[in-house]
Amino acid sequence: MQYGWTAPSIPILESADSPVPITSKDGVWLESLYMLGGIAGLPFSIYLVDAIGRKKTVLISSVVGLCGWILIGAGTSVNHLFMGRFLLGMTADIAFNASPMYISEIAHQKIRGFLAGIIYLMMLFGIVVMYSIGPLVSIQTAAIVGGSILLSQFIIFPFMPESPYYLLYVNKEDSAKRALERLRVDDDVTKELMEIKKAVERQKTEKGRPLDLFLIKSNRRACVIVMLLNNTQHFVGITVLIMNLHEILNHAGSDLISSSAAGIIFSSLMLIAASAATFTVDRIGRKILLLVSGLLTSISLFTIAVYFHMQSMFLDLKSFSWIPMISVMFYALTFKLGLGIVPIVTTAELFPARVKGWGLAVSDLVYVVSSSLSIYVYQWLNDGFGIHVSFYLFGIYCLISTVLISIYVPETKGKTLEEIQMILKR
């Protein structure tokens, strides 16, 4: 809901009867401060997941996010909105580090991909909710809905067990056993507990310094993979499309449906595709979904680019104005089928316990920086060379990334976290 908030809310705030009048420049800052808040949350993510545990870190992110929604809902000036967006960016960063880590460590390998994918699935559901209610309700009501979800999490989540990996990492074996017994159907968890303990003890022999992400070969390989996946997500245009969907479709001259309806359909299709990927990622595998998604997404991007290129040549395309609309919707399906869901699953699996906090922080930094940079590159190319150039760039980047994924990204389906470390160590 935080991620999709700007699309329906900024037009309301810029309108004549705005509850908090803003300028177009303020609207850009409302988008940017969310990303800057994410960067500011990185050191907290790194420290908290190992200092107080994965579970408590998630709870802290709920409190920070609740404060952000209160500032947005009750704010009377644009500075209150700025502060709220910054805090929401911080809570998103903390949650997107701690939550994948927590889920990857509590889940059995047979369903780990499914459970990790649900994080991204819920993010898409939040976008659908915000796109659907945002144009119809007040800024205050939307903030109440967002805040109430975080409040419910803060009330319910304390009853969940802590990660057994973390408990063994801090030498609480009895607590780890009790947590694992709650998380598994089997009565006897001794074998799995010993396997986790052995993995944690081995990983403890490796140093946990930030530099070890790059000095140790397996960690370095994991870093390269997560950088590739997270960078690809944004340089195939997802942030640009989510934040500028209405503008892009209006530029295409498509009049099949209204822009607000297009936003709801676009986000709903992403949710459907991500749901399909989440339910099949442990059966089909991570890598095949990435490759199929990469190839199909590049087709949709090149189709959009060619249309806008022909439009820039002043050709009469009125009878073909449906093409960009259909291509954008096809993009929503193909991107979320793999590129939009698998990276968050894979990223949580690749790093050993000793440096997992640092690894996920690097991943998140690449995610935030790539997101911000992709928006800047899109605006720069759009203003200087035409909108078609940016979509050509996204399409080419998508194809190159798909080739690199086929070469460098290992298949982790059905592997324990320790087996994945052995694959990375070759």
Side-chain angles (χ1 to χ4, degrees):
M1 290 187 69
Q2 301 165 17
Y3 196 35
W5 180 83
T6 53
S9 299
I10 287 179
I12 295 174
L13 294 168
E14 290 179 344
S15 65
D17 56 347
S18 170
V20 183
I22 67 168
T23 64
S24 57
K25 187 177 180 180
D26 293 332
V28 174
W29 273 108
L30 287 172
E31 292 182 354
S32 301
L33 280 169
Y34 183 69
M35 300 301 177
L36 293 174
I39 295 174
L42 280 172
F44 296 98
S45 302
I46 296 168
Y47 174 75
L48 291 174
V49 289
D50 287 333
I52 64 174
R54 288 56 159 147
K55 173 183 167 181
K56 291 178 181 176
T57 303
V58 173
L59 288 170
I60 286 177
S61 75
S62 302
V63 176
V64 176
L66 189 57
C67 293
W69 280 121
I70 290 172
L71 280 168
I72 288 176
T76 56
S77 74
V78 70
N79 289 328
H80 293 147
L81 299 182
F82 287 160
M83 291 170 62
R85 288 294 288 170
F86 187 82
L87 288 178
L88 290 178
M90 288 188 69
T91 193
D93 178 86
I94 296 171
F96 263 74
N97 271 315
S99 298
M101 187 184 300
Y102 176 79
I103 289 178
S104 70
E105 292 178 352
I106 69 169
H108 192 278
Q109 64 261 29
K110 291 183 179 179
I111 58 168
R112 189 176 61 242
F114 166 73
L115 292 180
I118 285 180
I119 299 175
Y120 214 92
L121 204 62
M122 291 299 97
M123 186 184 113
L124 294 174
F125 181 71
I127 293 175
V128 173
V129 171
M130 186 56 75
Y131 275 19
S132 301
I133 70 171
L136 306 175
V137 301
S138 65
I139 299 295
Q140 292 79 7
T141 302
I144 289 171
V145 175
S148 64
I149 293 173
L150 284 176
L151 181 61
S152 65
Q153 181 192 33
F154 184 73
I155 294 171
I156 296 170
F157 197 65
F159 297 99
M160 287 295 291
E162 178 57 274
S163 158
Y165 273 83
Y166 171 75
L167 292 171
L168 286 170
Y169 183 76
V170 294
N171 301 314
K172 294 183 178 180
E173 186 171 339
D174 291 339
S175 299
K177 184 178 181 181
R178 287 194 297 271
L180 201 58
E181 286 171 345
R182 287 187 61 193
L183 292 164
R184 297 292 182 264
V185 176
D186 299 330
D187 294 329
D188 188 6
V189 297
T190 305
K191 182 180 178 182
E192 185 177 0
L193 184 68
M194 290 300 103
E195 289 175 352
I196 296 173
K197 184 179 180 181
K198 183 179 178 181
V200 170
E201 288 176 349
R202 184 195 64 76
Q203 292 169 20
K204 273 188 172 182
T205 62
E206 300 176 349
K207 297 177 181 178
R209 303 170 303 173
L211 279 177
D212 292 325
L213 284 174
F214 308 100
L215 295 179
I216 297 174
K217 184 178 179 181
S218 57
N219 294 343
R220 186 167 63 246
R221 189 178 176 201
C223 270
V224 170
I225 291 169
V226 300
M227 286 178 181
L228 169 64
L229 294 178
N230 283 282
N231 186 262
T232 298
Q233 277 195 312
H234 295 289
F235 273 93
V236 300
I238 184 59
T239 301
V240 166
L241 276 164
I242 287 177
M243 293 190 174
N244 299 275
L245 180 64
H246 300 168
E247 176 194 338
I248 291 169
L249 293 178
N250 290 335
H251 187 85
S254 180
D255 56 0
L256 284 176
I257 55 176
S258 67
S259 57
S260 59
I264 296 172
I265 295 172
F266 180 80
S267 56
S268 298
L269 288 174
M270 287 197 297
L271 180 60
I272 291 169
S275 300
T278 300
F279 280 97
T280 58
V281 68
D282 286 314
R283 296 179 182 179
I284 297 176
R286 283 70 157 151
K287 193 166 184 176
I288 189 66
L289 286 177
L290 285 170
L291 297 178
V292 171
S293 174
L295 289 173
L296 295 178
T297 299
S298 63
I299 292 173
S300 62
L301 288 168
F302 281 123
T303 302
I304 296 169
V306 169
Y307 178 89
F308 282 128
H309 193 178
M310 295 175 68
Q311 188 184 61
S312 70
M313 298 167 65
F314 302 103
L315 298 176
D316 184 10
L317 301 175
K318 193 169 183 179
S319 57
F320 300 99
S321 62
W322 53 270
I323 290 178
M325 174 72 74
I326 299 301
S327 298
V328 164
M329 299 308 169
F330 183 66
Y331 173 96
L333 288 171
T334 59
F335 175 80
K336 291 301 176 185
L337 186 64
L339 291 174
I341 198 79
V342 174
I344 195 170
V345 175
T346 304
T347 298
E349 299 174 327
L350 294 178
F351 293 102
R354 193 74 171 172
V355 295
K356 185 167 283 190
W358 289 104
L360 289 178
V362 168
S363 167
D364 205 47
L365 178 62
V366 173
Y367 186 93
V368 173
V369 171
S370 298
S371 175
S372 304
L373 193 58
S374 68
I375 296 171
Y376 172 79
V377 169
Y378 166 76
Q379 294 292 353
W380 177 65
L381 291 175
N382 193 10
D383 295 339
F385 304 96
I387 192 171
H388 61 285
V389 177
S390 57
F391 278 98
Y392 276 129
L393 174 66
F394 292 152
I396 293 169
Y397 202 98
C398 190
L399 276 180
I400 294 174
S401 294
T402 302
V403 173
L404 293 175
I405 287 168
S406 69
I407 297 171
Y408 292 111
V409 177
E411 179 57 74
T412 59
K413 180 188 75 170
K415 304 289 193 300
T416 66
L417 297 181
E418 180 67 1
E419 286 171 340
I420 293 170
Q421 287 305 302
M422 294 300 105
I423 291 173
L424 294 173
K425 290 177 180 295
R426 298 189 186 277

